[in-house]
Amino acid sequence: MDESLPWFRALPAEQRSWVMLVAQAGVRSLVQWLRDGGGTADSSQEVSDEVFATAPHSLARSISLQQTVALIQVTIDVVEEQTGQLAAPGEEQQLREVVLRFSREIAFAAARAYARAAEFRGSWDARLQALLVDALLRGDSPDVLASRAAALGWTDAPPVAVAVGRSPGGEVSAVLHTVYRQARRIGVEVIGGVHGDRLVVVLGGAADPVAATEKLLEAFGEGPVVVGPAVPSLDGATESARAALAGFRAAPAWPTAPRPVPAADLLPERVLAGDAEARRRLRHDVYAGLVRVGGELLETLDAFFAAGGTLESAARALFVHPNTVRYRLRRVSEVTGFSPLAPRDAFTLQMALTIGRLDPVPSSPTKTASGGRTAQKSDDQR
């Protein structure tokens, strides 16, 4: 083995010793197999898997099945070369034929051993992944997340995002196998877990998590699939998981939502479903942004919505030119990221205005909670 297999020479001494024990067990098994009648052409005697039981399970992770086959081939070749010394005179050819049949049985035994190791490893990985996803959803410490992710070989390639959808049902291992198969095709890192009727998938290294999730839709069941915001590493994935779960709960309120849909696109529905984080985002990121900019943006938005989205009617109500309304609405889009001219964005802006006025944000002395200067002017006049 040292002479013919370069990778064997690179193995640690302990692993080489385990390989030699397996080889010796194989020779002993050949002798026992012959004694039990396995050498006859019509024999159905199987080789015991105990040949590989002498080595620890960790050896199957260090040496691949292909390498094991190469080791078996070297061992069989050596036995064939020594048939002149091993066989009685005139029985050399018979021994060679027996060794060929035995090598086939050994190959099957190796396949069974590796299949069991893969099943054991798969079951263990599935449990670890379920624990990791549980830790994400609970918001456990980064140390807990890092230790469990390291055990799974997670490299934490940025960005990281969490996708949540309905599980297709069936065996958890089969569901996760579909996830991994699709993930390998698109070259992203994934950790998955099934929780009740939900499939939670953590994606790593996908430049566009929503586009990557779209290519994983085969693994999900029917219904909405929601993708949380991208974060730099697994440490911040709890934020993404919470947003995705909140979006998944609220998604039925938007029947025509794309699939998958970013959790940020479901802010209005999440607010109505009682998501405090979505409420905070609309209040601080949207409404408070308009308050900080000041000017007539809030007043223009009110007039535009009151006019049913008609520019000319809003302009008449404000006593300004329609182009002025267009300019202000464009400024609203720049400040908030939502365009009042798009029906879906208009719904989000209306929700933000309502929340902002119900939960006023701190404002400067020259502005009211509504953010308009006209209100301050009216107070002065009064």
Side-chain angles (χ1 to χ4, degrees):
M1 291 177 184
D2 250 355
E3 294 171 359
S4 57
L5 302 174
W7 57 265
F8 181 79
R9 294 193 294 272
L11 289 176
E14 182 183 21
Q15 292 184 8
R16 289 200 303 272
S17 67
W18 283 120
V19 170
M20 299 317 298
L21 285 176
V22 171
Q24 292 170 16
V27 173
R28 288 195 300 271
S29 179
L30 169 61
V31 174
Q32 187 62 43
W33 186 68
L34 290 171
R35 286 175 176 168
D36 294 340
T40 58
D42 57 349
S43 172
S44 59
Q45 180 73 22
E46 287 188 356
V47 174
S48 172
D49 295 353
E50 293 299 317
V51 172
F52 298 97
T54 56
H57 288 294
S58 59
L59 189 64
R61 294 196 293 270
S62 304
I63 301 177
S64 68
L65 179 58
Q66 183 177 359
Q67 291 171 331
T68 300
V69 172
L71 292 173
I72 293 172
Q73 183 177 0
V74 170
T75 306
I76 297 298
D77 289 344
V78 171
V79 172
E80 286 185 328
E81 289 173 2
Q82 302 299 322
T83 52
Q85 299 180 25
L86 297 174
E91 296 182 355
E92 293 85 356
Q93 183 59 31
Q94 181 183 355
L95 179 59
R96 290 190 181 93
E97 294 174 358
V98 167
V99 168
L100 286 176
R101 285 197 295 272
F102 180 76
S103 64
R104 180 192 64 182
E105 297 300 327
I106 281 289
F108 282 124
R112 289 193 295 270
Y114 272 82
R116 282 196 300 272
E119 289 174 358
F120 177 80
R121 174 73 177 177
S123 299
W124 178 248
D125 284 354
R127 288 194 292 271
L128 273 181
Q129 291 182 78
L131 290 172
L132 176 58
V133 173
D134 277 337
L136 275 177
L137 302 183
R138 288 196 308 266
D140 285 358
S141 69
D143 291 340
V144 173
L145 298 178
S147 63
R148 291 178 177 169
L152 291 167
W154 176 265
T155 61
D156 211 14
V160 176
V162 178
V164 177
R166 198 168 302 282
S167 170
E171 290 290 332
V172 173
S173 58
V175 173
L176 297 182
H177 176 72
T178 304
V179 174
Y180 303 144
R181 186 181 69 245
Q182 296 297 325
R184 283 195 298 269
R185 289 179 180 175
I186 62 177
V188 299
E189 193 173 16
V190 295
I191 292 175
V194 176
H195 291 256
D197 64 341
R198 296 171 301 185
L199 172 60
V200 181
V201 179
V202 184
L203 299 97
D208 185 347
V210 176
T213 304
E214 186 175 3
K215 297 176 181 177
L216 300 177
L217 288 179
E218 178 185 335
F220 290 91
E222 296 181 355
V225 177
V226 183
V227 183
V231 294
S233 67
L234 192 65
D235 291 349
T238 295
E239 173 191 345
S240 183
R242 287 175 176 169
L245 284 170
F248 179 73
R249 288 191 293 267
W254 185 12
T256 59
R259 190 173 184 266
V261 57
D265 290 357
L266 288 159
L267 286 176
E269 288 80 9
R270 288 166 55 188
V271 168
L272 294 174
D275 182 13
E277 175 60 20
R279 189 181 185 93
R280 186 199 66 79
R281 284 194 58 186
L282 287 182
R283 183 174 67 249
H284 285 274
D285 298 348
V286 180
Y287 182 79
L290 294 172
V291 170
R292 287 191 296 269
V293 171
E296 297 81 7
L297 297 188
L298 284 170
E299 183 183 18
T300 302
L301 270 181
D302 286 334
F304 181 70
F305 292 144
T310 305
L311 284 170
E312 290 75 11
S313 299
R316 285 196 297 270
L318 295 169
F319 301 102
V320 296
H321 194 276
N323 285 341
T324 302
V325 176
R326 288 190 182 90
Y327 168 76
R328 293 177 183 176
L329 296 181
R330 189 162 57 248
R331 285 284 296 139
V332 169
S333 179
E334 293 171 355
V335 170
T336 65
F338 297 100
S339 171
L341 300 176
R344 178 71 194 172
D345 287 0
F347 174 46
T348 304
L349 288 168
Q350 286 179 295
M351 185 69 70
L353 294 183
T354 302
I355 291 170
R357 284 161 178 158
L358 288 174
D359 305 330
V361 295
S363 58
S364 64
T366 59
K367 300 175 186 176
T368 65
S370 66
R373 293 178 177 174
T374 54
Q376 181 66 38
K377 181 178 178 181
S378 299
D379 289 343
D380 293 341
Q381 288 171 348
R382 285 195 297 271

